[in-house]
Amino acid sequence: MAAELPYDLAAALAHYREHGYARLGKLAEPERLVRMRDRIDAIMMGAVVHEGIFFQRDTDSGRYEDLSYGKGYEGPTLGYRKVEKLEKDPIFLEWITHPLFEPLAREVYGGDVTLYRALVFNKAAETGGSNLPWHQDGGDFWGLDREPSLQVWTALDDAPLDGGCLEIVPGSHLRGLVTKLGGVVPEPALLREEPEKKSVFLPVEAGEVILVHNHAWHRSSRSKTGLPRRALTVCYLDARTECRRKKRAPRSFFKVFPRA
Ligand SMILES: O=C(O)CCC(=O)C(=O)O
């Protein structure tokens, strides 16, 4: 299987393990990108409806601090920042479960693989979206009995330097979580670590795929291109992972590799 992959699995994993990210190159075909872009717009506009999709509208100010929570779908607009649970949509499900990603996920987790989340991060053409601050994707906030470590980020549009590309602090994943809770990196750690002095920008063309370690510090800025910047991010889990949440019934995670 590995010999047929259009990327070098061993090199990608070595880079991801050392630096917390790895570029896999342009893997998503142009027709697939059109289908995914059209579909996410149709979902945002209410033309395609799936029960249980999570929406978060973006701010008009571009400030992360101004985001509102818990409102869900607020009507047809391309101004959503996050659209989550995309495994419910067959076009996205096909990419989430694509055999291209199976050897990677199996190598990272050492066995079967489930899905924690699959979502589009959108920076709308009209507003440029918002600044996403330095953060890590894990910790108590995620409610899991073990830490996830593999996210596969696919650019649905070009994301150039001034167009909301990802920015990452290489090697930052090696020091683990900054806070037990996870999420946004707090001010004292930012002052201590000065991440912008060590970070790399990852400009991409549509179709490019980047592996992101959940504990790598990453962020993205507003886009200044006047064009939409949509990206699908998929967090895979070790299939042995259990949900620890107490307030609601524990989640059971969707089986990705193998599906049966
Ligand atoms: O696409 C972005 O702007 C942010 C992506 C991100 O934070 C993630 O995939 O965890």
Side-chain angles (χ1 to χ4, degrees):
M1 171 113 195
E4 294 156 25
L5 290 170
Y7 60 89
D8 182 337
L9 177 66
L13 284 173
H15 197 281
Y16 149 87
R17 285 186 176 122
E18 183 178 350
H19 302 289
Y21 74 96
R23 285 176 175 275
L24 297 191
K26 214 178 257 190
L27 299 184
E29 316 86 322
E31 318 76 63
R32 184 190 299 280
L33 291 172
V34 171
R35 277 189 281 135
M36 290 200 282
R37 287 195 293 251
D38 287 352
R39 181 51 59 96
I40 197 63
D41 285 1
I43 292 173
M44 289 193 276
M45 296 306 288
V48 171
V49 177
H50 300 294
E51 187 65 30
I53 298 268
F54 167 94
F55 295 86
Q56 185 186 36
R57 200 171 169 167
D58 217 333
T59 60
D60 294 322
S61 64
R63 283 165 43 88
Y64 185 81
E65 299 75 15
D66 296 341
L67 284 170
S68 51
Y69 295 87
K71 291 192 173 163
Y73 192 66
E74 294 185 55
T77 165
L78 296 178
Y80 290 100
R81 180 181 90 95
K82 267 181 165 187
V83 181
E84 199 161 334
K85 293 219 175 286
L86 291 174
E87 65 275 20
K88 291 177 177 282
D89 182 277
I91 291 178
F92 286 104
L93 182 63
E94 199 182 288
W95 191 236
I96 295 162
T97 58
H98 199 289
L100 274 176
F101 305 124
E102 178 163 5
L104 262 175
R106 283 188 175 280
E107 276 292 322
V108 167
Y109 290 124
D112 290 351
V113 176
T114 52
L115 179 76
Y116 181 77
R117 66 177 192 177
L119 67 143
V120 161
F121 275 108
N122 174 44
K123 294 183 194 285
E126 216 169 90
T127 61
S130 50
N131 289 311
L132 175 60
W134 290 115
H135 67 282
Q136 296 174 300
D137 292 311
D140 290 352
F141 186 59
W142 283 44
L144 300 174
D145 71 343
R146 69 198 75 196
E147 282 297 295
S149 57
L150 181 65
Q151 308 199 94
V152 175
W153 185 94
T154 304
L156 305 186
D157 297 294
D158 293 349
L161 274 181
D162 63 347
C165 70
L166 282 181
E167 186 182 355
I168 273 191
V169 181
S172 50
H173 65 301
L174 297 171
R175 293 192 301 280
L177 289 168
V178 178
T179 62
K180 203 170 158 306
L181 194 60
V184 174
V185 177
E187 190 73 15
L190 296 177
L191 292 172
R192 192 177 64 239
E193 297 293 332
E194 301 187 298
E196 32 313 290
K197 292 196 175 158
K198 310 168 195 164
S199 68
V200 293
F201 289 88
L202 301 174
V204 286
E205 290 183 8
E208 284 191 57
V209 175
I210 300 176
L211 306 183
V212 180
H213 191 293
N214 289 58
H215 290 176
W217 294 25
H218 57 290
R219 70 174 179 179
S220 65
S221 302
R222 283 186 104 170
S223 173
K224 296 183 186 135
T225 61
L227 300 168
R229 199 243 57 177
R230 293 157 288 192
L232 174 73
T233 181
V234 177
C235 179
Y236 297 106
L237 294 178
D238 181 326
R240 292 164 291 194
T241 308
E242 286 180 15
C243 178
R244 279 264 168 88
R245 76 180 180 193
K246 297 271 181 325
K247 285 190 186 149
R248 283 187 288 156
R251 285 179 64 183
S252 57
F253 300 109
F254 178 82
K255 275 193 184 159
V256 186
F257 308 123
R259 299 288 310 280

